[in-house]
Amino acid sequence: MPRLKWLQQEECENRRSIADAVNVLHAQAVFDRVRTAEIRAGRLRLPSKQIVGLVGVFVENAAAQTTSLVTLPSATNFRARRHGSQELEEFDVFRLDGATVDGSCAVELVDGTRLRAVEVIPASLPYKVTELDWRILHHTIAMMNAEQECYTYPIPFAQPTGALDCSKLPALRGKVPPRKEILRYIAKQEPALKRPSRQKIDDTLHKFGML
């Protein structure tokens, strides 16, 4: 299974557009190997019950067994212009899920709609989700064999943030294994990862409504 490679994750909150993500991919010469990248919009349910989209642009490199990911800020909507139009329209962010984008930043939605100048409208989150949070979350789901419950479609990459439906996670409350077992599982799956504390495991699972 390909290894996920996060690109300039520390700059996520400074990005706004699909073009920003494409520029990062260009800097990594990703479009020297492929014609298009895939856009995913995962779901994150906030304590307020609001669902926001976690938007990422993915490119899989089968030869290197890696999937490059560039993320954008969480959002509920995005703005864009339809192909051939100068009018700026607003769309639900989940229409981006499964879309493709080429090296010129032209986006095609799954229904065939062609867009340009795609820019997310950031949503306010009550907390920051870190890469370690995602790792803990994905490993916990895998340990529980709960992938079918939590992911929205088949997953071709190692840490499938874009396919995760966070609104399903509270249903796992009461089924979470002991923290010691989670830590042991994570250490086995990622021996090079610095061992998180039990408190960090609790904090992450609370963040996603699993405790």
Side-chain angles (χ1 to χ4, degrees):
M1 183 176 289
R3 175 178 58 86
L4 189 64
K5 182 180 180 182
W6 301 71
L7 301 180
Q8 298 184 21
Q9 180 64 13
E10 70 281 359
E11 293 296 322
C12 173
E13 295 304 317
N14 296 325
R15 291 190 281 266
R16 291 293 179 271
S17 66
I18 294 296
D20 291 336
V22 168
N23 287 339
V24 175
L25 294 172
H26 273 306
Q28 298 289 322
V30 169
F31 284 103
D32 292 350
R33 302 187 301 270
V34 299
R35 295 179 59 186
T36 61
E38 184 173 6
I39 303 171
R40 301 272 178 100
R43 296 172 182 267
L44 175 62
R45 185 177 186 177
L46 304 180
S48 64
K49 309 301 183 183
Q50 180 188 20
I51 305 295
V52 299
L54 303 171
V55 179
V57 181
F58 294 82
V59 178
E60 186 171 341
N61 184 339
Q65 294 191 323
T66 60
T67 296
S68 298
L69 164 63
V70 184
T71 58
L72 295 175
S74 57
T76 56
N77 298 90
F78 69 94
R79 300 186 187 94
R81 292 184 173 90
R82 294 178 189 267
H83 182 71
S85 172
Q86 293 300 315
E87 182 182 356
L88 197 61
E89 299 180 49
E90 192 167 309
F91 302 83
D92 185 283
V93 73
F94 295 108
R95 290 194 65 184
L96 286 174
D97 192 38
T100 57
V101 58
D102 64 20
S104 69
C105 305
V107 172
E108 184 171 340
L109 305 183
V110 292
D111 63 5
T113 302
R114 297 165 64 193
L115 302 173
R116 57 190 179 86
V118 175
E119 182 175 311
V120 300
I121 304 171
S124 297
L125 287 179
Y127 44 70
K128 180 180 180 181
V129 181
T130 67
E131 182 177 349
L132 180 57
D133 286 324
W134 289 125
R135 289 177 182 272
I136 291 171
L137 182 63
H138 291 307
H139 284 309
T140 302
I141 291 171
M143 182 182 180
M144 297 173 67
N145 295 315
E147 291 93 339
Q148 286 191 325
E149 300 171 52
C150 300
Y151 297 119
T152 56
Y153 35 68
I155 309 155
F157 41 87
Q159 289 182 299
T161 302
L164 181 66
D165 185 350
C166 293
S167 66
K168 303 292 181 62
L169 298 178
L172 300 179
R173 191 181 293 125
K175 305 175 185 177
V176 176
R179 303 324 163 258
K180 182 166 62 176
E181 293 182 16
I182 294 174
L183 287 167
R184 188 180 301 122
Y185 180 87
I186 293 174
K188 182 178 180 181
Q189 298 300 314
E190 292 198 69
L193 183 67
K194 182 179 178 181
R195 182 184 176 91
S197 66
R198 294 191 186 189
Q199 185 60 54
K200 177 58 181 176
I201 300 292
D202 280 354
D203 290 345
T204 296
L205 299 181
H206 272 296
K207 190 178 290 187
F208 288 93
M210 294 172 66
L211 290 180

mmCIF file of all heavy atoms in Angstrom, residues 80-122:
data_model
loop_
_atom_site.group_PDB
_atom_site.id
_atom_site.type_symbol
_atom_site.label_atom_id
_atom_site.label_comp_id
_atom_site.label_asym_id
_atom_site.label_seq_id
_atom_site.Cartn_x
_atom_site.Cartn_y
_atom_site.Cartn_z
ATOM 1 N N ALA A 80 -15.871 29.418 -7.325
ATOM 2 C CA ALA A 80 -15.210 29.068 -8.585
ATOM 3 C C ALA A 80 -15.961 29.699 -9.748
ATOM 4 O O ALA A 80 -17.105 30.152 -9.602
ATOM 5 C CB ALA A 80 -15.160 27.550 -8.759
ATOM 6 N N ARG A 81 -15.304 29.710 -10.895
ATOM 7 C CA ARG A 81 -15.934 30.142 -12.142
ATOM 8 C C ARG A 81 -16.101 28.932 -13.050
ATOM 9 O O ARG A 81 -15.177 28.128 -13.194
ATOM 10 C CB ARG A 81 -15.086 31.205 -12.841
ATOM 11 C CG ARG A 81 -15.027 32.529 -12.102
ATOM 12 C CD ARG A 81 -14.251 33.576 -12.902
ATOM 13 N NE ARG A 81 -14.334 34.889 -12.275
ATOM 14 C CZ ARG A 81 -13.463 35.341 -11.366
ATOM 15 N NH1 ARG A 81 -12.440 34.570 -10.996
ATOM 16 N NH2 ARG A 81 -13.611 36.542 -10.834
ATOM 17 N N ARG A 82 -17.278 28.804 -13.629
ATOM 18 C CA ARG A 82 -17.485 27.736 -14.599
ATOM 19 C C ARG A 82 -16.671 28.026 -15.858
ATOM 20 O O ARG A 82 -16.391 29.185 -16.182
ATOM 21 C CB ARG A 82 -18.971 27.614 -14.960
ATOM 22 C CG ARG A 82 -19.847 27.162 -13.799
ATOM 23 C CD ARG A 82 -21.306 27.099 -14.217
ATOM 24 N NE ARG A 82 -22.179 26.866 -13.076
ATOM 25 C CZ ARG A 82 -22.580 25.661 -12.676
ATOM 26 N NH1 ARG A 82 -22.190 24.586 -13.355
ATOM 27 N NH2 ARG A 82 -23.372 25.533 -11.628
ATOM 28 N N HIS A 83 -16.315 26.972 -16.556
ATOM 29 C CA HIS A 83 -15.552 27.119 -17.791
ATOM 30 C C HIS A 83 -16.313 28.014 -18.768
ATOM 31 O O HIS A 83 -17.490 27.787 -19.058
ATOM 32 C CB HIS A 83 -15.319 25.747 -18.425
ATOM 33 C CG HIS A 83 -14.510 25.791 -19.681
ATOM 34 N ND1 HIS A 83 -13.163 26.078 -19.690
ATOM 35 C CD2 HIS A 83 -14.867 25.593 -20.980
ATOM 36 C CE1 HIS A 83 -12.724 26.048 -20.928
ATOM 37 N NE2 HIS A 83 -13.730 25.762 -21.730
ATOM 38 N N GLY A 84 -15.660 29.068 -19.237
ATOM 39 C CA GLY A 84 -16.273 29.976 -20.195
ATOM 40 C C GLY A 84 -17.080 31.097 -19.581
ATOM 41 O O GLY A 84 -17.673 31.907 -20.295
ATOM 42 N N SER A 85 -17.131 31.166 -18.244
ATOM 43 C CA SER A 85 -17.908 32.205 -17.561
ATOM 44 C C SER A 85 -16.994 33.050 -16.684
ATOM 45 O O SER A 85 -16.004 32.564 -16.141
ATOM 46 C CB SER A 85 -19.000 31.567 -16.696
ATOM 47 O OG SER A 85 -19.642 32.548 -15.894
ATOM 48 N N GLN A 86 -17.345 34.322 -16.539
ATOM 49 C CA GLN A 86 -16.608 35.212 -15.648
ATOM 50 C C GLN A 86 -17.295 35.354 -14.291
ATOM 51 O O GLN A 86 -16.767 35.992 -13.386
ATOM 52 C CB GLN A 86 -16.472 36.603 -16.294
ATOM 53 C CG GLN A 86 -15.597 36.629 -17.537
ATOM 54 C CD GLN A 86 -14.181 36.161 -17.236
ATOM 55 O OE1 GLN A 86 -13.571 36.567 -16.246
ATOM 56 N NE2 GLN A 86 -13.649 35.296 -18.096
ATOM 57 N N GLU A 87 -18.472 34.752 -14.159
ATOM 58 C CA GLU A 87 -19.240 34.877 -12.916
ATOM 59 C C GLU A 87 -18.673 33.956 -11.841
ATOM 60 O O GLU A 87 -18.449 32.766 -12.069
ATOM 61 C CB GLU A 87 -20.707 34.527 -13.163
ATOM 62 C CG GLU A 87 -21.578 34.682 -11.926
ATOM 63 C CD GLU A 87 -23.024 34.294 -12.176
ATOM 64 O OE1 GLU A 87 -23.357 33.973 -13.333
ATOM 65 O OE2 GLU A 87 -23.812 34.308 -11.211
ATOM 66 N N LEU A 88 -18.451 34.514 -10.667
ATOM 67 C CA LEU A 88 -17.952 33.740 -9.536
ATOM 68 C C LEU A 88 -19.143 33.148 -8.791
ATOM 69 O O LEU A 88 -20.031 33.873 -8.345
ATOM 70 C CB LEU A 88 -17.136 34.640 -8.609
ATOM 71 C CG LEU A 88 -16.213 33.963 -7.600
ATOM 72 C CD1 LEU A 88 -15.146 33.126 -8.299
ATOM 73 C CD2 LEU A 88 -15.558 35.012 -6.710
ATOM 74 N N GLU A 89 -19.171 31.825 -8.659
ATOM 75 C CA GLU A 89 -20.280 31.139 -7.995
ATOM 76 C C GLU A 89 -19.785 30.430 -6.738
ATOM 77 O O GLU A 89 -18.602 30.141 -6.596
ATOM 78 C CB GLU A 89 -20.911 30.102 -8.931
ATOM 79 C CG GLU A 89 -21.488 30.671 -10.210
ATOM 80 C CD GLU A 89 -22.104 29.586 -11.077
ATOM 81 O OE1 GLU A 89 -22.902 28.777 -10.543
ATOM 82 O OE2 GLU A 89 -21.774 29.527 -12.273
ATOM 83 N N GLU A 90 -20.731 30.131 -5.856
ATOM 84 C CA GLU A 90 -20.405 29.417 -4.625
ATOM 85 C C GLU A 90 -21.018 28.021 -4.680
ATOM 86 O O GLU A 90 -22.160 27.843 -5.095
ATOM 87 C CB GLU A 90 -20.930 30.186 -3.411
ATOM 88 C CG GLU A 90 -20.392 29.684 -2.090
ATOM 89 C CD GLU A 90 -20.668 30.644 -0.940
ATOM 90 O OE1 GLU A 90 -20.343 31.855 -1.088
ATOM 91 O OE2 GLU A 90 -21.207 30.190 0.086
ATOM 92 N N PHE A 91 -20.236 27.015 -4.250
ATOM 93 C CA PHE A 91 -20.651 25.620 -4.314
ATOM 94 C C PHE A 91 -20.432 24.945 -2.963
ATOM 95 O O PHE A 91 -19.592 25.373 -2.169
ATOM 96 C CB PHE A 91 -19.827 24.856 -5.363
ATOM 97 C CG PHE A 91 -19.890 25.405 -6.754
ATOM 98 C CD1 PHE A 91 -19.068 26.461 -7.136
ATOM 99 C CD2 PHE A 91 -20.752 24.857 -7.694
ATOM 100 C CE1 PHE A 91 -19.106 26.962 -8.430
ATOM 101 C CE2 PHE A 91 -20.801 25.350 -8.991
ATOM 102 C CZ PHE A 91 -19.978 26.406 -9.360
ATOM 103 N N ASP A 92 -21.168 23.858 -2.732
ATOM 104 C CA ASP A 92 -20.926 23.022 -1.560
ATOM 105 C C ASP A 92 -19.572 22.345 -1.712
ATOM 106 O O ASP A 92 -19.247 21.814 -2.778
ATOM 107 C CB ASP A 92 -22.031 21.965 -1.447
ATOM 108 C CG ASP A 92 -21.908 21.139 -0.181
ATOM 109 O OD1 ASP A 92 -21.028 20.246 -0.150
ATOM 110 O OD2 ASP A 92 -22.669 21.360 0.766
ATOM 111 N N VAL A 93 -18.778 22.353 -0.653
ATOM 112 C CA VAL A 93 -17.409 21.850 -0.748
ATOM 113 C C VAL A 93 -17.353 20.375 -1.129
ATOM 114 O O VAL A 93 -16.394 19.925 -1.775
ATOM 115 C CB VAL A 93 -16.646 22.102 0.573
ATOM 116 C CG1 VAL A 93 -17.132 21.156 1.672
ATOM 117 C CG2 VAL A 93 -15.143 21.975 0.373
ATOM 118 N N PHE A 94 -18.392 19.614 -0.788
ATOM 119 C CA PHE A 94 -18.339 18.182 -1.067
ATOM 120 C C PHE A 94 -18.532 17.853 -2.545
ATOM 121 O O PHE A 94 -18.335 16.710 -2.953
ATOM 122 C CB PHE A 94 -19.335 17.434 -0.178
ATOM 123 C CG PHE A 94 -18.977 17.537 1.279
ATOM 124 C CD1 PHE A 94 -19.731 18.319 2.137
ATOM 125 C CD2 PHE A 94 -17.849 16.900 1.770
ATOM 126 C CE1 PHE A 94 -19.373 18.447 3.471
ATOM 127 C CE2 PHE A 94 -17.481 17.024 3.104
ATOM 128 C CZ PHE A 94 -18.249 17.799 3.955
ATOM 129 N N ARG A 95 -18.868 18.856 -3.344
ATOM 130 C CA ARG A 95 -18.883 18.633 -4.788
ATOM 131 C C ARG A 95 -17.465 18.442 -5.330
ATOM 132 O O ARG A 95 -17.281 17.926 -6.433
ATOM 133 C CB ARG A 95 -19.576 19.791 -5.511
ATOM 134 C CG ARG A 95 -21.078 19.856 -5.266
ATOM 135 C CD ARG A 95 -21.771 20.785 -6.232
ATOM 136 N NE ARG A 95 -21.687 20.309 -7.614
ATOM 137 C CZ ARG A 95 -22.144 20.990 -8.661
ATOM 138 N NH1 ARG A 95 -22.693 22.179 -8.485
ATOM 139 N NH2 ARG A 95 -22.036 20.502 -9.887
ATOM 140 N N LEU A 96 -16.470 18.846 -4.540
ATOM 141 C CA LEU A 96 -15.082 18.641 -4.962
ATOM 142 C C LEU A 96 -14.630 17.194 -4.800
ATOM 143 O O LEU A 96 -13.622 16.790 -5.383
ATOM 144 C CB LEU A 96 -14.140 19.542 -4.157
ATOM 145 C CG LEU A 96 -14.135 21.032 -4.495
ATOM 146 C CD1 LEU A 96 -13.253 21.784 -3.511
ATOM 147 C CD2 LEU A 96 -13.661 21.264 -5.923
ATOM 148 N N ASP A 97 -15.359 16.416 -4.010
ATOM 149 C CA ASP A 97 -14.923 15.053 -3.731
ATOM 150 C C ASP A 97 -14.919 14.211 -5.010
ATOM 151 O O ASP A 97 -15.940 14.083 -5.688
ATOM 152 C CB ASP A 97 -15.842 14.411 -2.691
ATOM 153 C CG ASP A 97 -15.274 13.121 -2.140
ATOM 154 O OD1 ASP A 97 -14.045 13.056 -1.950
ATOM 155 O OD2 ASP A 97 -16.046 12.188 -1.896
ATOM 156 N N GLY A 98 -13.755 13.667 -5.332
ATOM 157 C CA GLY A 98 -13.620 12.843 -6.530
ATOM 158 C C GLY A 98 -13.297 13.621 -7.788
ATOM 159 O O GLY A 98 -13.127 13.024 -8.862
ATOM 160 N N ALA A 99 -13.206 14.947 -7.683
ATOM 161 C CA ALA A 99 -12.877 15.771 -8.848
ATOM 162 C C ALA A 99 -11.417 15.569 -9.246
ATOM 163 O O ALA A 99 -10.608 15.041 -8.479
ATOM 164 C CB ALA A 99 -13.138 17.247 -8.540
ATOM 165 N N THR A 100 -11.086 16.006 -10.448
ATOM 166 C CA THR A 100 -9.698 15.965 -10.911
ATOM 167 C C THR A 100 -9.238 17.380 -11.239
ATOM 168 O O THR A 100 -10.045 18.261 -11.551
ATOM 169 C CB THR A 100 -9.539 15.080 -12.157
ATOM 170 O OG1 THR A 100 -10.401 15.566 -13.201
ATOM 171 C CG2 THR A 100 -9.887 13.629 -11.842
ATOM 172 N N VAL A 101 -7.930 17.579 -11.160
ATOM 173 C CA VAL A 101 -7.340 18.868 -11.512
ATOM 174 C C VAL A 101 -6.073 18.602 -12.312
ATOM 175 O O VAL A 101 -5.321 17.670 -12.011
ATOM 176 C CB VAL A 101 -7.034 19.716 -10.254
ATOM 177 C CG1 VAL A 101 -6.086 19.000 -9.302
ATOM 178 C CG2 VAL A 101 -6.474 21.082 -10.642
ATOM 179 N N ASP A 102 -5.851 19.403 -13.351
ATOM 180 C CA ASP A 102 -4.640 19.225 -14.149
ATOM 181 C C ASP A 102 -3.607 20.289 -13.785
ATOM 182 O O ASP A 102 -3.825 21.118 -12.899
ATOM 183 C CB ASP A 102 -4.959 19.230 -15.648
ATOM 184 C CG ASP A 102 -5.524 20.562 -16.143
ATOM 185 O OD1 ASP A 102 -5.333 21.595 -15.463
ATOM 186 O OD2 ASP A 102 -6.160 20.573 -17.216
ATOM 187 N N GLY A 103 -2.492 20.260 -14.476
ATOM 188 C CA GLY A 103 -1.396 21.157 -14.152
ATOM 189 C C GLY A 103 -1.679 22.618 -14.406
ATOM 190 O O GLY A 103 -0.957 23.492 -13.906
ATOM 191 N N SER A 104 -2.743 22.907 -15.160
ATOM 192 C CA SER A 104 -3.125 24.300 -15.405
ATOM 193 C C SER A 104 -4.186 24.774 -14.418
ATOM 194 O O SER A 104 -4.725 25.873 -14.571
ATOM 195 C CB SER A 104 -3.644 24.465 -16.839
ATOM 196 O OG SER A 104 -4.899 23.811 -16.998
ATOM 197 N N CYS A 105 -4.513 23.931 -13.443
ATOM 198 C CA CYS A 105 -5.476 24.230 -12.372
ATOM 199 C C CYS A 105 -6.930 24.152 -12.835
ATOM 200 O O CYS A 105 -7.832 24.645 -12.147
ATOM 201 C CB CYS A 105 -5.216 25.595 -11.729
ATOM 202 S SG CYS A 105 -3.533 25.787 -11.120
ATOM 203 N N ALA A 106 -7.173 23.550 -13.985
ATOM 204 C CA ALA A 106 -8.547 23.327 -14.435
ATOM 205 C C ALA A 106 -9.121 22.134 -13.674
ATOM 206 O O ALA A 106 -8.512 21.066 -13.635
ATOM 207 C CB ALA A 106 -8.582 23.065 -15.932
ATOM 208 N N VAL A 107 -10.293 22.328 -13.079
ATOM 209 C CA VAL A 107 -10.928 21.303 -12.248
ATOM 210 C C VAL A 107 -12.148 20.742 -12.967
ATOM 211 O O VAL A 107 -12.935 21.491 -13.551
ATOM 212 C CB VAL A 107 -11.353 21.896 -10.884
ATOM 213 C CG1 VAL A 107 -12.185 20.895 -10.085
ATOM 214 C CG2 VAL A 107 -10.121 22.323 -10.092
ATOM 215 N N GLU A 108 -12.296 19.428 -12.915
ATOM 216 C CA GLU A 108 -13.496 18.792 -13.455
ATOM 217 C C GLU A 108 -14.158 17.979 -12.349
ATOM 218 O O GLU A 108 -13.552 17.070 -11.783
ATOM 219 C CB GLU A 108 -13.173 17.885 -14.640
ATOM 220 C CG GLU A 108 -14.428 17.282 -15.267
ATOM 221 C CD GLU A 108 -14.166 16.563 -16.574
ATOM 222 O OE1 GLU A 108 -13.120 16.836 -17.204
ATOM 223 O OE2 GLU A 108 -15.000 15.720 -16.965
ATOM 224 N N LEU A 109 -15.407 18.336 -12.027
ATOM 225 C CA LEU A 109 -16.152 17.616 -11.000
ATOM 226 C C LEU A 109 -16.616 16.271 -11.532
ATOM 227 O O LEU A 109 -16.592 16.019 -12.741
ATOM 228 C CB LEU A 109 -17.354 18.453 -10.542
ATOM 229 C CG LEU A 109 -17.068 19.875 -10.044
ATOM 230 C CD1 LEU A 109 -18.363 20.536 -9.567
ATOM 231 C CD2 LEU A 109 -16.024 19.878 -8.940
ATOM 232 N N VAL A 110 -17.072 15.408 -10.640
ATOM 233 C CA VAL A 110 -17.483 14.068 -11.060
ATOM 234 C C VAL A 110 -18.690 14.107 -11.987
ATOM 235 O O VAL A 110 -18.904 13.177 -12.773
ATOM 236 C CB VAL A 110 -17.783 13.168 -9.840
ATOM 237 C CG1 VAL A 110 -16.518 12.867 -9.067
ATOM 238 C CG2 VAL A 110 -18.822 13.795 -8.927
ATOM 239 N N ASP A 111 -19.482 15.182 -11.929
ATOM 240 C CA ASP A 111 -20.643 15.283 -12.822
ATOM 241 C C ASP A 111 -20.289 15.928 -14.160
ATOM 242 O O ASP A 111 -21.168 16.193 -14.982
ATOM 243 C CB ASP A 111 -21.785 16.053 -12.150
ATOM 244 C CG ASP A 111 -21.422 17.511 -11.835
ATOM 245 O OD1 ASP A 111 -20.319 17.963 -12.216
ATOM 246 O OD2 ASP A 111 -22.249 18.195 -11.194
ATOM 247 N N GLY A 112 -18.992 16.179 -14.374
ATOM 248 C CA GLY A 112 -18.544 16.745 -15.639
ATOM 249 C C GLY A 112 -18.442 18.256 -15.661
ATOM 250 O O GLY A 112 -17.947 18.826 -16.640
ATOM 251 N N THR A 113 -18.888 18.920 -14.606
ATOM 252 C CA THR A 113 -18.783 20.383 -14.542
ATOM 253 C C THR A 113 -17.316 20.793 -14.526
ATOM 254 O O THR A 113 -16.528 20.267 -13.740
ATOM 255 C CB THR A 113 -19.475 20.926 -13.276
ATOM 256 O OG1 THR A 113 -20.843 20.532 -13.281
ATOM 257 C CG2 THR A 113 -19.388 22.446 -13.216
ATOM 258 N N ARG A 114 -16.959 21.729 -15.384
ATOM 259 C CA ARG A 114 -15.574 22.198 -15.473
ATOM 260 C C ARG A 114 -15.472 23.573 -14.823
ATOM 261 O O ARG A 114 -16.258 24.476 -15.115
ATOM 262 C CB ARG A 114 -15.128 22.235 -16.932
ATOM 263 C CG ARG A 114 -15.120 20.850 -17.575
ATOM 264 C CD ARG A 114 -15.028 20.938 -19.084
ATOM 265 N NE ARG A 114 -13.766 21.529 -19.512
ATOM 266 C CZ ARG A 114 -13.527 21.944 -20.756
ATOM 267 N NH1 ARG A 114 -14.474 21.858 -21.682
ATOM 268 N NH2 ARG A 114 -12.349 22.447 -21.074
ATOM 269 N N LEU A 115 -14.492 23.710 -13.937
ATOM 270 C CA LEU A 115 -14.343 24.928 -13.147
ATOM 271 C C LEU A 115 -12.914 25.447 -13.215
ATOM 272 O O LEU A 115 -11.981 24.697 -13.491
ATOM 273 C CB LEU A 115 -14.697 24.661 -11.677
ATOM 274 C CG LEU A 115 -16.095 24.132 -11.355
ATOM 275 C CD1 LEU A 115 -16.184 23.770 -9.883
ATOM 276 C CD2 LEU A 115 -17.163 25.151 -11.724
ATOM 277 N N ARG A 116 -12.779 26.713 -12.903
ATOM 278 C CA ARG A 116 -11.456 27.311 -12.747
ATOM 279 C C ARG A 116 -11.515 28.289 -11.580
ATOM 280 O O ARG A 116 -12.599 28.624 -11.091
ATOM 281 C CB ARG A 116 -11.014 28.021 -14.033
ATOM 282 C CG ARG A 116 -11.963 29.098 -14.513
ATOM 283 C CD ARG A 116 -11.604 29.598 -15.913
ATOM 284 N NE ARG A 116 -12.545 30.616 -16.379
ATOM 285 C CZ ARG A 116 -12.446 31.903 -16.112
ATOM 286 N NH1 ARG A 116 -11.423 32.341 -15.383
ATOM 287 N NH2 ARG A 116 -13.333 32.769 -16.569
ATOM 288 N N ALA A 117 -10.353 28.742 -11.144
ATOM 289 C CA ALA A 117 -10.256 29.675 -10.011
ATOM 290 C C ALA A 117 -10.992 29.138 -8.785
ATOM 291 O O ALA A 117 -11.734 29.854 -8.110
ATOM 292 C CB ALA A 117 -10.798 31.051 -10.398
ATOM 293 N N VAL A 118 -10.767 27.867 -8.487
ATOM 294 C CA VAL A 118 -11.438 27.223 -7.344
ATOM 295 C C VAL A 118 -10.742 27.629 -6.048
ATOM 296 O O VAL A 118 -9.537 27.434 -5.889
ATOM 297 C CB VAL A 118 -11.417 25.691 -7.498
ATOM 298 C CG1 VAL A 118 -12.000 25.024 -6.256
ATOM 299 C CG2 VAL A 118 -12.184 25.275 -8.748
ATOM 300 N N GLU A 119 -11.517 28.173 -5.131
ATOM 301 C CA GLU A 119 -10.964 28.654 -3.864
ATOM 302 C C GLU A 119 -11.902 28.296 -2.721
ATOM 303 O O GLU A 119 -13.094 28.619 -2.771
ATOM 304 C CB GLU A 119 -10.772 30.172 -3.923
ATOM 305 C CG GLU A 119 -10.149 30.773 -2.682
ATOM 306 C CD GLU A 119 -9.861 32.254 -2.844
ATOM 307 O OE1 GLU A 119 -9.267 32.636 -3.862
ATOM 308 O OE2 GLU A 119 -10.247 33.026 -1.939
ATOM 309 N N VAL A 120 -11.382 27.607 -1.701
ATOM 310 C CA VAL A 120 -12.225 27.228 -0.569
ATOM 311 C C VAL A 120 -12.484 28.433 0.322
ATOM 312 O O VAL A 120 -11.692 29.378 0.372
ATOM 313 C CB VAL A 120 -11.596 26.086 0.262
ATOM 314 C CG1 VAL A 120 -11.394 24.844 -0.585
ATOM 315 C CG2 VAL A 120 -10.294 26.524 0.911
ATOM 316 N N ILE A 121 -13.621 28.389 1.019
ATOM 317 C CA ILE A 121 -13.976 29.409 2.001
ATOM 318 C C ILE A 121 -13.752 28.775 3.371
ATOM 319 O O ILE A 121 -14.549 27.943 3.812
ATOM 320 C CB ILE A 121 -15.443 29.849 1.839
ATOM 321 C CG1 ILE A 121 -15.689 30.344 0.408
ATOM 322 C CG2 ILE A 121 -15.800 30.921 2.859
ATOM 323 C CD1 ILE A 121 -17.152 30.602 0.089
ATOM 324 N N PRO A 122 -12.658 29.098 4.049
ATOM 325 C CA PRO A 122 -12.299 28.390 5.285
ATOM 326 C C PRO A 122 -13.381 28.457 6.354
ATOM 327 O O PRO A 122 -14.033 29.489 6.540
ATOM 328 C CB PRO A 122 -11.023 29.101 5.743
ATOM 329 C CG PRO A 122 -10.462 29.707 4.496
ATOM 330 C CD PRO A 122 -11.668 30.117 3.687
#
